[in-house]
Amino acid sequence: EKGGYDHFMIKEIHEEPKTVRDTLNPRIKNDKVDIEELGMSDEEIKSISRIRIVACGSAYHTGVTAKYVFEEMARIPVEVDIASEFRYRNPILQENELVIAVSQSGETADTKEAVRMARAMGNMTLAIVNVVGSSIAREAEKVMYTWAGPEISVATTKAYSAQLIAFYLLAMKFAEVRGLLGEDEMKELIKDLKMLPEQIEMLLGNKERIQKFANRFVAAKDVFFIGRGIDYAISMEGSLKLKEISYIHSEAYAAGELKHGTISLIEEGTLVAAVATQDSVYPKTVSNIVECKTRGAFILAVTTVGNEDIEKVADYVMYIPQTNRYFTNSLAIIPLQLFGYYVSVGKGYDVDHPRNLAKSVTVE
Ligand code: M6R
């Protein structure tokens, strides 16, 4: 049932090119994004005053990425909420605020309750869900399915990648309807999206190199993931992947925030994984790398081909192929998922069933 792989997690990582394709292709028609399935009129899309994303864990991290994408591409303000926080603080929703819930299982109790509350407040709700007919899919008014297929490993990988695609498509559609994305730009974006599966395949081809690297860090005590903008969102997911299956303490920080406290934890040899795929903040992240390095950190950089100058400051580099700046998360997460996986394998842990965790959290 694991198709020849040692664990479901690595099998599911290898399914990511297919997952991306299956979530993307049916929604691209004649060089346009087609999300008719949602039954949202252009008028409705134009009237959205704000987007509120509610989710837990990795699904929340795709929401953080989506905030950067929606705000820049479609100029719609976005709030991202952890579902368990949203539901207990008497939240304020605006009129015409679209509430998007994200969930692989469609059964996460807090996310489901957040949707119910949003509906009760009279807001439009949309669920990005992987399991057809699940509770959240039934609770929300509109559903956009991620076509990742069953995900068994507790640590999510392919569903995460599919959620990102769903968000890119929504942002592109909303931007187009709101007059912010011309035909040519749309074509370019679609071309880049269509290249992702092959590019992911290429990254998977490097897995032995990542395994070797991971084996050097099985005894790590603390790891820090840093990045800015979308790179910060990637860092959050890279960090969660590592900690949940390897039991190594790891944290994600907005790179500029490190020196406001956390940098005091960096010692000789502490691993700092710096994600630097966004050109607009690249020099800033590089200077944060230097700050960590001067304090003895071992620097792993994740960056785009073309940024080879990073080798001057990083001890080890994982390169991702070039893509549109909005989509780098879909590529940068692959080496980080592999890293988490191989550290766990190196420690001899039960990768698919990490201690204390359940695949879906149906209790509060
Ligand atoms: O099924 P959901 O997407 O609603 O689950 C949300 C989180 O419980 C989930 O993403 C969790 O964080 C994963 N173990 C992360 O790998």
Side-chain angles (χ1 to χ4, degrees), residues 188-214:
E188 276 301 306
L189 289 171
I190 290 176
K191 203 178 91 205
D192 286 339
L193 278 178
K194 287 195 161 164
M195 278 166 65
L196 290 175
E198 250 173 73
Q199 293 176 319
I200 295 173
E201 209 79 70
M202 238 185 73
L203 289 164
L204 293 174
N206 278 335
K207 64 179 175 182
E208 272 95 23
R209 180 173 179 260
I210 293 173
Q211 179 164 25
K212 275 197 199 117
F213 178 77

Side-chain angles (χ1 to χ4, degrees), residues 56-59 102-106 108 154-156 163 240-241 244 361:
C56 303
S58 296
V102 195
S103 176
Q104 186 285 127
S105 62
T108 300
V154 165
T156 182
Q163 287 160 1
L240 181 62
K241 281 289 86 80
E244 69 178 329
V361 185

